[in-house]
């Protein structure tokens, strides 16, 4: 690191005609480059950014404003949360650091400190605060055309929508089409990773993007700092698919990457994925060990949501008393977890049918699904322990609510065509 600065100083001495202003700009540029050797230590990176900011009178030429800021990660918090108990300090340092970085890079990564703060609020279960700061982060990112930060906002918006029932401003399909128009494969892959995580934690496995659903992540180039996040998301997909042994097999490698890069929050997620996999395989003791390690990582910073997002796998385990889990922390997880399960169930139901079908009752939807399997009225009656007359009555109600006209055969055909419109 010092060698680079010595080479630059030597080069400057060999050009005495260089103005003091340009000397300062070159030295500041060097500080900026050196700061990335300190990734992801915000405090050390900030020292270089402050130094560069004091020396430079123009934006850096070594950083492109239109380049990615997150190295392909969908989360700023996952990049910069290094260790248990350090979150508040990291958030404060990020707030102080980023203005100096923005000054010398013409706003590269604008909104990073805001989305990191919003993510922290979400992780602690402060959903209203998270939503407020998220909106601010979106504004900062869009005003400065920082797509990688906007994608991190998308990632939080998707997960936050499960808790608040406030839908993201754009449907996933529309947002993806928008990104495709930019012809940037990295942006599309990041967005697919956010959707993969959302569909995995809400139990909509069939809707997970192909890259993650078919575990083809190895076919795309992911920058090293972004790899642990992408691998963790793919691990969550494996968990949702019931591939519990695969989760256990891959987790050791992901945790090793997390240790090398000081990714405390990613490691927390992977530990909980391990606990969930062991629990589903009936290895309760191993699951409890992983859960205890997770608690040790999470409690100092009040990180609740990684547990909540895995609540369907860990509900039974989380209700037992474990040494080291504060009662209040455990109670919050259980309370949030129950609401989470209910919300996910509602989301699955809502997303399972086109808009017109949402007017139908649960029983009517059940009969509609059986009709889609080409079952006769008699077969439906036998399946549901109803009389044929009652089934016929339900079917007529379905046609009436959906305003389907015509003869019986035509009605059924039209109904099935409408069902094929499932998103």
């Amino acid at each position: 690191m010092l060698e680079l600065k010595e080479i630059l100083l030597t080069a400057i001495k060999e050009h005495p005609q260089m103005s003091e202003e340009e000397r300062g700009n070159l030295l500041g540029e060097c500080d900026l480059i050196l700061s990335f050797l300190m990734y992801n230590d915000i405090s050390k990176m900030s020292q270089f950014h402050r130094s560069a900011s004091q020396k430079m009178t123009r934006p850096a030429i070594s950083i492109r404003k239109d380049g990615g800021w997150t190295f392909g990660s969908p989360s700023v918090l996952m990049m910069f949360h290094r260790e248990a108990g350090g979150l508040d300090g990291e958030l404060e340092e990020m707030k102080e650091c980023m203005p100096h970085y923005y000054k010398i890079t013409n706003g590269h990564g604008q909104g990073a400190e805001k989305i990191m703060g919003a993510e922290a609020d979400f992780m602690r279960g402060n959903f209203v605060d998270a939503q407020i700061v998220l909106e601010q982060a979106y504004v900062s990112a869009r005003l400065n055309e920082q797509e990688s930060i906007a994608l991190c906002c998308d990632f939080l918006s998707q997960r936050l929508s499960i808790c608040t029932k406030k839908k993201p401003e754009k449907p996933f399909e529309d947002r993806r089409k928008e990104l495709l128009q930019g012809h940037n494969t990295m942006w599309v892959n990041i967005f697919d990773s956010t959707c993969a995580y959302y569909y995995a934690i809400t139990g909509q496995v069939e809707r997970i993007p192909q890259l993650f659903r078919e575990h083809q992540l190895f076919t795309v180039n992911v920058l090293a700092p972004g790899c642990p996040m992408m691998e963790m998301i793919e691990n969550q997909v494996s968990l949702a698919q019931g591939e519990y042994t695969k989760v256990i097999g891959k987790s050791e490698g992901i945790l090793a990457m997390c240790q090398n890069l000081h990714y405390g929050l990613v490691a927390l997620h992977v530990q909980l994925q391990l606990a969930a996999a062991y629990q589903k395989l009936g290895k309760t003791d191993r699951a409890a060990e992983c859960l205890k390690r997770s608690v040790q990582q999470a409690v100092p910073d009040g990180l609740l949501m990684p547990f909540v997002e895995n609540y369907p796998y860990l509900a039974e385990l989380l209700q037992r008393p474990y040494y080291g889990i504060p009662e209040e922390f455990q109670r919050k997880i259980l309370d949030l977890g129950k609401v989470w399960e209910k919300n996910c169930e509602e989301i699955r139901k809502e997303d399972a049918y086109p808009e017109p079908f949402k007017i139908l009752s649960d029983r009517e939807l059940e009969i509609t699904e059986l009709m889609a399997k080409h079952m006769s009225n008699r077969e439906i009656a036998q399946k549901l322990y109803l009389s044929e007359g009652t089934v016929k009555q339900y079917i007529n109600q379905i046609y009436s609510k959906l305003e389907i006209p015509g003869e019986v055969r035509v009605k059924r055909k039209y109904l099935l065509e409408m069902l094929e419109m499932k998103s």
Side-chain angles (χ1 to χ4, degrees), residues 1-5 30-42 44-45 48-49 71 82 260-262:
M1 185 172 73
L2 291 174
E3 290 179 2
L4 177 61
K5 199 154 192 174
C30 181
D31 284 339
L32 177 59
I33 294 170
L34 291 174
S35 74
F36 290 99
L37 298 178
M38 299 292 103
Y39 177 84
N40 58 349
D41 188 321
I42 306 173
K44 291 181 180 178
M45 293 183 79
F48 283 104
H49 294 161
F71 298 104
R82 288 171 65 91
N260 290 337
L261 286 166
H262 306 285

Side-chain angles (χ1 to χ4, degrees), residues 96 117 124 133 136 182 258 270 274 313 317 320 372 411:
E96 294 178 4
R124 289 167 163 170
V133 184
Q136 295 171 345
C258 291
V270 177
L274 262 176
Y313 306 101
L317 205 60
R320 302 180 185 180
K411 286 181 177 181

Side-chain angles (χ1 to χ4, degrees), residues 406-417:
E407 299 178 358
V408 174
R409 289 185 180 181
V410 176
K411 286 181 177 181
R412 182 171 285 225
K413 180 182 177 182
Y414 187 71
L415 176 68
L416 298 184
E417 288 176 351

Side-chain angles (χ1 to χ4, degrees), residues 138 154 157-159 161 166-172 198:
Y138 262 129
D154 291 340
S157 176
Q158 291 168 2
R159 291 174 292 153
S161 71
K166 183 183 185 302
K167 293 184 178 181
E169 59 185 42
K170 290 183 181 178
F172 293 1
Y198 172 87

Side-chain angles (χ1 to χ4, degrees), residues 360-417:
L360 302 182
S361 68
D362 289 344
R363 176 62 89 181
E364 289 165 348
L365 287 171
E366 189 176 18
I367 290 173
T368 301
E369 287 288 349
L370 296 177
M371 291 170 71
K373 295 177 181 178
H374 303 285
M375 294 177 66
S376 66
N377 289 3
R378 177 178 293 182
E379 289 170 331
I380 294 173
Q382 292 174 344
K383 176 78 174 178
L384 300 180
Y385 301 101
L386 300 173
S387 69
E388 283 189 59
T390 301
V391 170
K392 186 176 180 180
Q393 194 173 31
Y394 271 120
I395 292 174
N396 287 334
Q397 289 174 5
I398 292 168
Y399 292 150
S400 176
K401 286 184 177 181
L402 297 178
E403 299 181 354
I404 299 175
E407 299 178 358
V408 174
R409 289 185 180 181
V410 176
K411 286 181 177 181
R412 182 171 285 225
K413 180 182 177 182
Y414 187 71
L415 176 68
L416 298 184
E417 288 176 351

Side-chain angles (χ1 to χ4, degrees), residues 321-333:
Y322 289 102
Y323 179 76
I325 302 185
E327 186 177 336
E328 180 66 10
F329 187 79
Q330 187 177 24
R331 185 190 62 76
K332 286 180 179 179
I333 292 173

Side-chain angles (χ1 to χ4, degrees), residues 54-216:
Q54 291 170 359
K55 295 170 183 173
M56 299 180 72
T57 58
R58 58 160 174 78
I61 58 176
S62 57
I63 297 291
R64 289 175 49 195
K65 180 186 174 181
D66 60 351
W69 190 88
T70 64
F71 298 104
S73 166
S75 166
V76 175
L77 185 62
M78 289 184 185
M79 293 171 66
F80 288 99
H81 178 48
R82 288 171 65 91
E83 58 187 7
L87 181 56
D88 287 331
E90 292 160 352
L91 293 171
E92 196 58 40
E93 287 183 328
M94 184 66 86
K95 286 180 184 176
E96 294 178 4
C97 167
M98 290 311 296
H100 296 282
Y101 181 79
Y102 297 150
K103 176 186 173 184
I104 55 178
T105 62
N106 204 22
H108 181 232
Q110 191 84 37
E113 79 282 11
K114 288 184 172 62
I115 187 58
M116 183 174 172
E119 288 184 282
D121 282 329
F122 171 74
M123 286 291 162
R124 289 167 163 170
N126 301 325
F127 303 139
V128 174
D129 292 339
Q131 189 70 52
I132 292 170
V133 184
L134 170 63
E135 299 297 344
Q136 295 171 345
Y138 262 129
V139 171
S140 294
R142 286 167 179 162
L143 284 176
N144 291 275
E145 300 179 330
Q146 295 302 293
E147 194 68 87
S148 60
I149 300 300
L151 285 164
C152 292
C153 293
D154 291 340
F155 187 37
L156 176 58
S157 176
Q158 291 168 2
R159 291 174 292 153
L160 193 54
S161 71
I162 303 169
C163 304
T164 64
K165 298 185 179 181
K166 183 183 185 302
K167 293 184 178 181
E169 59 185 42
K170 290 183 181 178
F172 293 1
E173 295 81 2
D174 292 352
R175 178 67 169 126
R176 193 173 193 276
K177 288 176 184 176
E178 179 182 89
L179 292 166
L180 284 170
Q181 292 173 358
H183 305 289
N184 188 314
T185 304
M186 178 182 283
W187 297 159
V188 176
N189 288 339
I190 294 174
F191 186 69
D192 280 351
S193 76
T194 70
C195 294
Y197 192 78
Y198 172 87
Y199 288 129
I201 60 178
T202 56
Q204 301 179 84
V205 176
E206 71 285 350
R207 303 188 70 181
I208 294 171
Q210 183 179 3
L211 179 65
F212 289 85
R213 185 179 69 250
E214 297 183 0
H215 301 281
Q216 297 295 311

